[in-house]
Amino acid sequence: MKYTASEKEILSLVTMYNGISRKQLAELSDLSQASITKITKKLIDDDLIMEGERISSGLGRKEVLLYSNPHKFTFLGIDIGGYLVRFALSNNSMEVLHQEEFFMDELDESHNKDEALLERLNQFLKRTNTISSNIDAIGIGVTGLVDIEQNMILNIPNRKGWDEIPIIDIFKKTFSCPIFLDEGGRTMAIAEKTLGKAKEIRDFIVVQIGFGIVSGIMINDQLLRGSSNVSSLLGHITADENAGRCLCGNYGCLENIITFPMLEIEYKKRNGLYSSIGEAYKHNDKIAIEVCVDTGKALGIALSNVVNLFNPNAIYIGGPIFDVLPMLLEETKRTIILRANRFATLALSLEENSFGQQQGIMGALTFAKINFISQL
Ligand SMILES: [Zn+2]
């Protein structure tokens, strides 16, 4: 069944604000109350959305809240990071039903990465008793460069052997549903926009750091792609040309300074005595704190440049590195405020992202649903 642009808009809004009244839908969509009544009736008749509890809207009137019908669709998200791969299945309310992860290096020996990934995916589906034909859409987010027209992973800078992988073509042998592919920072931005803190924010940046750096930039409610779909490559901007060679081939990339492995190397280089920087940080080790201050400054300088260029309303920062080393985040924020133009920071909010370590997989799942709705 084909749906109109207005019907899809209402479906998207119910996905975003799961539990929303018709009055709020009218306000957010600029559609008339009469149109909203008609559209929601059709969407309820088609089992796409459903009515929930009544809430008081003041003046004694009660409003019925509308929700996505959780059982209508099932989505599969695949988050391919430089370090971990995550699979997750969600219902139509974006609740994760099953999730698994494994290390990327488990696929190092495989000659055909896409087929090896598919094999792991099939095992996951088998363990969760999921039939591939019951999946309605698949979203794949990759920490690397993708060609979304040719449905191909072009390169994962942190991993060898992931060049020109026609991942969708291989997956189509098993799945008949739509499969969507994009860069992981962009899918993370979609999750923040749809389900997270950025629902009403039009200009924002998501930054996720663990074993690599991923970022997504949304300007005027549009994902920034650039002319060759390469934009937002924050991890590979040059931060210190005298620093070592990056796996991407360039010298002194931001990823050469601030990722888990790089912080460990820096900590050891400064003669840190604990087994890891995380362990040292727990004991208030001076060297660990100095490394956090110096690297937080490097990230803060890079992001202050981004703030001056794009003047976002918010930067949502997250990832395991900040959970282990919270001071890194404080130093990053401090440097952004200090270095970026004061008129650009007036309305700038620096916050942790909504899903922490789940940002990537929530990105892949949300990306699947949003694209799926647009094709209904
Ligand atoms: Zn690089």
Side-chain angles (χ1 to χ4, degrees):
M1 183 177 283
K2 271 282 172 200
Y3 290 89
T4 65
S6 297
E7 289 161 351
K8 290 178 194 175
E9 187 186 1
I10 296 305
L11 263 184
S12 296
L13 284 170
V14 175
T15 299
M16 289 171 83
Y17 301 86
N18 207 18
I20 183 169
S21 69
R22 288 177 175 82
K23 191 168 166 240
Q24 289 168 309
L25 283 173
E27 282 163 11
L28 287 167
S29 65
D30 280 336
L31 291 165
S32 68
Q33 280 283 359
S35 305
I36 294 289
T37 305
K38 204 173 130 204
I39 290 171
T40 52
K41 183 182 182 308
K42 180 175 175 192
L43 298 178
I44 290 170
D45 288 347
D46 289 352
D47 283 333
L48 288 161
I49 62 172
M50 54 193 221
E51 293 189 324
E53 74 272 27
R54 287 172 180 274
I55 54 152
S56 173
S57 64
L59 303 171
R61 288 192 55 207
K62 293 252 177 171
E63 296 265 358
V64 181
L65 297 187
L66 298 164
Y67 293 86
S68 297
N69 174 3
H71 311 296
K72 183 70 178 172
F73 302 118
T74 301
F75 300 105
L76 170 65
I78 304 173
D79 172 28
I80 305 174
Y83 183 66
L84 280 177
V85 179
R86 290 188 168 99
F87 298 139
L89 287 160
S90 84
N91 64 17
N92 190 36
S93 303
M94 307 318 289
E95 292 160 339
V96 174
L97 308 171
H98 301 284
Q99 182 170 338
E100 269 184 27
E101 63 185 42
F102 60 92
F103 296 109
M104 270 293 256
D105 60 16
E106 291 174 38
L107 303 180
D108 276 356
E109 301 298 311
S110 310
H111 192 62
N112 293 318
K113 305 290 185 206
D114 39 11
E115 281 171 11
L117 190 68
L118 182 60
E119 172 61 30
R120 298 295 289 251
L121 181 59
N122 282 328
Q123 290 166 9
F124 167 67
L125 296 179
K126 207 170 167 187
R127 275 193 290 276
T128 56
N129 291 321
T130 310
I131 302 163
S132 60
S133 58
N134 286 348
I135 295 169
D136 294 283
I138 301 173
I140 308 173
V142 183
T143 305
L145 303 166
V146 297
D147 184 329
I148 49 174
E149 268 150 37
Q150 294 196 54
N151 292 330
M152 193 182 270
I153 298 175
L154 291 175
N155 170 252
I156 297 182
N158 294 349
R159 305 299 311 184
K160 286 204 168 67
W162 284 85
D163 298 303
E164 298 188 8
I165 307 284
I167 187 161
I168 294 189
D169 292 345
I170 303 293
F171 276 37
K172 276 193 172 156
K173 290 179 189 168
T174 301
F175 300 97
S176 53
C177 66
I179 307 173
F180 307 103
L181 171 72
D182 211 336
E183 191 275 319
R186 295 198 187 111
T187 58
M188 289 183 195
I190 290 171
E192 203 62 53
K193 177 81 202 172
T194 310
L195 305 175
K197 296 175 182 170
K199 289 188 179 75
E200 272 125 59
I201 307 289
R202 298 176 72 85
D203 302 281
F204 70 90
I205 297 163
V206 171
V207 179
Q208 185 84 356
I209 307 184
F211 286 75
I213 300 177
V214 183
S215 77
I217 300 178
M218 205 172 263
I219 299 296
N220 203 18
D221 270 348
Q222 298 291 315
L223 283 172
L224 189 72
R225 295 190 174 278
S227 59
S228 325
N229 207 37
V230 180
S231 88
S232 321
L233 212 54
L234 181 69
H236 299 281
I237 62 171
T238 306
D240 176 2
E241 64 170 347
N242 298 315
R245 189 162 193 212
C246 178
L247 289 166
C248 76
N250 187 20
Y251 287 84
C253 292
L254 193 59
E255 274 197 12
N256 262 40
I257 296 171
I258 178 168
T259 56
F260 266 132
M262 289 303 154
L263 291 179
E264 288 300 352
I265 289 171
E266 191 59 30
Y267 178 68
K268 292 274 146 41
K269 215 167 62 194
R270 296 187 192 192
N271 300 316
L273 296 175
Y274 285 90
S275 58
S276 72
I277 187 169
E279 198 51 38
Y281 186 90
K282 275 192 224 156
H283 291 89
N284 282 323
D285 177 72
K286 190 166 161 275
I287 297 174
I289 288 167
E290 279 170 8
V291 171
C292 286
V293 169
D294 293 347
T295 50
K297 204 171 275 171
L299 177 62
I301 288 172
L303 288 175
S304 66
N305 293 334
V306 174
V307 167
N308 281 6
L309 281 175
F310 296 106
N311 187 201
N313 240 176
I315 303 182
Y316 302 104
I317 307 174
I321 212 160
F322 302 109
D323 300 338
V324 177
L325 307 165
M327 188 179 282
L328 202 57
L329 184 60
E330 293 316 309
E331 189 58 29
T332 302
K333 287 183 183 175
R334 203 181 70 82
T335 308
I336 295 170
I337 298 300
L338 194 70
R339 297 280 187 138
N341 184 282
R342 66 195 165 95
F343 294 102
T345 55
L346 274 180
L348 176 68
S349 148
L350 300 170
E351 297 177 53
E352 288 184 42
N353 61 24
S354 298
F355 305 102
Q357 303 205 23
Q358 289 287 88
Q359 192 82 15
I361 195 65
M362 288 313 294
L365 287 166
T366 318
F367 173 58
K369 176 159 184 187
I370 289 298
N371 279 288
F372 179 71
I373 289 176
S374 75
Q375 292 189 354
L376 278 178

